[in-house]
Amino acid sequence: MYVDLRITDYSGLSRTNPFDAGVSATGNGSIANSSVLTTAAPSELLFAAGITGNVFTAAGSAFTDRVITAPDGDIVEDAIAASAGSYNATASLSSGTWVL
């Protein structure tokens, strides 16, 4: 068993209200999907982190892979919302259980 600690650093976030909303999901398969999150404004940071019983291999469409941890293969990915609306994070993995 390994400690799963991932630290990211962002600039330009609101100092008074940096967190708007969160969603999560669990599943089993080769694509993890966070479920839908709705943003209130454009240019919101979309941050996703996942753990798996196997190994994540890539960030989902429109998301940037920031780290896939070693040796346990967990992921951090992010994107910037182009406009207010609905978004979901996805990530590819070697088929297995996941939380995103």
Side-chain angles (χ1 to χ4, degrees):
M1 184 159 72
Y2 302 96
V3 171
D4 190 13
L5 177 64
R6 292 164 274 167
I7 298 171
T8 56
D9 187 23
Y10 295 94
S11 64
L13 300 177
S14 168
R15 292 183 186 272
T16 58
N17 191 18
F19 184 81
D20 291 334
V23 296
S24 66
T26 63
N28 192 338
S30 60
I31 301 289
N33 189 327
S34 67
S35 72
V36 176
L37 175 112
T38 302
T39 64
S43 301
E44 300 255 357
L45 173 66
L46 304 172
F47 177 88
I51 59 172
T52 179
N54 209 329
V55 175
F56 280 100
T57 56
S61 176
F63 278 74
T64 300
D65 176 3
R66 297 299 177 189
V67 66
I68 296 178
T69 63
D72 51 353
D74 296 334
I75 194 167
V76 169
E77 61 184 8
D78 60 32
I80 302 296
S83 61
S86 298
Y87 295 88
N88 65 306
T90 61
S92 301
L93 64 145
S94 301
S95 191
T97 58
W98 54 264
V99 175
L100 189 63

